[in-house]
Amino acid sequence: MYAKLYNETSRFKTNVILNAAKTGASFLLSNVKDPFTMKCSFSTTRNGKAIKIQRTIFSECFYSMAFAELFRATGELLYQTEALTMVDTILYWVTEDDSDLGRPHLPGCQPTNTMAVPMMVLCIIKEVKSLQDRKYPDATDWAIKQILAHRQRNNTVVLENVTLDGKEVGGCEGRLMNPGHSIECGWFLMQHAKETNNEELMRIAFEHFVENPFKYGWDKANGGLLYFMDVNGYSPTQLEWNMKLWWPHCEAMIAFLIGYYETRNIDCLDSFEKVFEYSWKHFVDIDHGEWYGYLNQKGEVNMDFKGGPFKGCFHVPRALFMCEKLLAKLTGHYQ
């Protein structure tokens, strides 16, 4: 995030910001990535000893994004190599053999297409494909196909998990919806549609992944986006299902501004304003800065820490950076 701000925002293009990014990279190289397995620690002690490694691709995705941006800031080939090598490893895990992730294949566990995986693949490809003029066409096509399979019930809902051939999964796992996740995925797709001049994908991305999930995910009684929902109206099994978390609201602000920028549909601005006003009123600590991350259904602060294992320096600064940039373009003040 520091490297991104250094690269694209003039007021943050300082040695202090760049050195902070380079210090973070040094810590990652020395402590976080296992050079033999390529797995990255999800959390470490203060001095870098691993505490937890997830059996997913997400720590590795953020690792590759960080080094890609730092290469753009410095031109140091080490950072480019780290980003590209990690992306190649991730693509191998998700398209060929995931055994190195460490997840056992249990006899009662049905293989599924989990939306988080292809959407992150699409995200990291966008971040690294300019580093060495790598386009990753096969992986991009795979990711989009996998993502679009999550539209179910005549494209009226987006489900988190579907079968490998794009059908609904039985039980509560198959009924699960995460509106914020769908919305984030939507703006990833809109970015790709813009880059490839794909008007139909742009329409699908906004209508199916942003507009619909926002409509069914917004808590009409209390405001804010519900975290999890059950497509059949049952209670989700996730204990935090009715909480309001910071990051879905960050992603919704980005998505609606991109939607307005691309379509000039005034409804997008109305939705952006609704999310912004809720977020500013409930998440932002006006007196001491930063955002709270976890609210109860009524919008009251449920956990008063501002940083933790999952709430790091990412969703809030990315949203503020992207929204500032989009608003500047819309008002003619972008430089």
Side-chain angles (χ1 to χ4, degrees):
M1 199 66 239
Y2 285 114
K4 186 76 168 179
L5 292 172
Y6 176 87
N7 286 336
E8 299 193 26
T9 308
S10 59
R11 70 180 183 277
F12 291 118
K13 200 172 186 66
T14 68
N15 287 334
V16 171
I17 294 296
L18 181 59
N19 289 335
K22 293 172 73 173
T23 299
S26 177
F27 184 87
L28 291 174
L29 286 168
S30 301
N31 302 289
V32 170
K33 187 190 76 173
D34 184 325
F36 300 103
T37 67
M38 298 295 285
K39 289 294 294 170
C40 294
S41 299
F42 174 73
S43 57
T44 71
T45 62
R46 182 182 291 269
N47 60 359
K49 290 182 170 55
I51 295 173
K52 181 179 181 180
I53 296 177
Q54 294 182 311
R55 293 179 289 187
T56 63
I57 64 168
F58 307 122
S59 295
E60 293 74 25
C61 287
F62 293 118
Y63 181 96
S64 67
M65 292 165 64
F67 280 100
E69 203 62 51
L70 193 52
F71 169 70
R72 279 188 278 270
T74 65
E76 293 187 27
L77 291 178
L78 170 63
Y79 300 146
Q80 179 192 56
T81 300
E82 286 296 317
L84 294 175
T85 302
M86 184 59 79
V87 169
D88 289 342
T89 303
I90 292 167
L91 294 180
Y92 174 77
W93 286 336
V94 301
T95 62
E96 296 187 46
D97 183 2
D98 67 355
S99 58
D100 287 341
L101 294 178
R103 288 197 303 267
H105 293 277
L106 302 175
C109 184
Q110 180 181 1
T112 57
N113 166 3
T114 301
M115 190 170 70
V117 171
M119 66 180 279
M120 281 306 300
V121 167
L122 188 63
C123 177
I124 61 172
I125 287 174
K126 182 183 187 306
E127 295 298 322
V128 306
K129 64 184 179 182
S130 65
L131 297 190
Q132 211 175 56
D133 198 31
R134 295 193 185 187
K135 301 304 182 186
Y136 300 98
D138 293 341
T140 301
D141 290 345
W142 174 87
I144 292 174
K145 181 179 179 181
Q146 295 290 304
I147 291 168
L148 296 183
H150 288 266
R151 300 174 299 158
Q152 298 290 320
R153 306 192 181 189
N154 295 320
N155 300 326
T156 60
V157 297
V158 177
L159 301 181
E160 284 292 294
N161 304 293
V162 295
T163 64
L164 297 183
D165 59 351
K167 304 294 193 303
E168 286 194 32
V169 176
C172 58
E173 180 186 17
R175 299 193 304 268
L176 184 65
M177 300 188 297
N178 182 329
H181 215 202
S182 303
I183 291 168
E184 181 182 22
C185 189
W187 73 257
F188 289 179
L189 289 170
M190 283 195 287
Q191 284 189 325
H192 181 74
K194 173 69 172 179
E195 291 174 0
T196 56
N197 296 313
N198 189 329
E199 293 183 3
E200 177 62 7
L201 182 60
M202 180 68 76
R203 182 192 67 80
I204 289 170
F206 182 73
E207 292 181 6
H208 299 171
F209 285 86
V210 177
E211 191 174 42
N212 286 349
F214 184 73
K215 287 178 179 177
Y216 59 67
W218 190 260
D219 184 343
K220 295 177 178 58
N222 301 286
L225 285 164
L226 294 166
Y227 197 37
F228 289 113
M229 301 181 73
D230 183 290
V231 71
N232 287 347
Y234 302 127
S235 174
T237 57
Q238 289 75 15
L239 301 182
E240 70 275 29
W241 73 269
N242 63 348
M243 291 177 65
K244 314 294 170 58
L245 272 66
W246 82 105
W247 69 263
H249 297 78
C250 289
E251 303 312 316
M253 288 194 296
I254 297 170
F256 283 116
L257 277 187
I258 292 177
Y260 180 73
Y261 186 80
E262 297 301 334
T263 68
R264 293 305 194 268
N265 182 342
I266 196 66
D267 291 341
C268 293
L269 277 187
D270 292 340
S271 296
F272 168 79
E273 184 177 17
K274 178 186 288 190
V275 179
F276 176 84
E277 289 182 349
Y278 179 88
S279 300
W280 197 257
K281 179 178 180 180
H282 295 278
F283 287 109
V284 176
D285 184 343
I286 300 296
D287 295 325
H288 303 101
E290 247 289 351
W291 289 36
Y292 297 108
Y294 303 87
L295 312 176
N296 63 23
Q297 187 167 4
K298 293 181 179 179
E300 301 161 337
V301 174
N302 193 63
M303 301 175 185
D304 62 6
F305 59 82
K306 295 172 184 171
F310 293 94
K311 187 178 182 292
C313 181
F314 185 69
H315 285 282
V316 171
R318 181 174 72 171
L320 297 179
F321 159 73
M322 291 186 67
C323 289
E324 178 184 275
K325 189 174 179 179
L326 286 161
L327 288 167
K329 288 180 178 180
L330 287 165
T331 56
H333 293 93
Y334 181 70
Q335 296 181 347

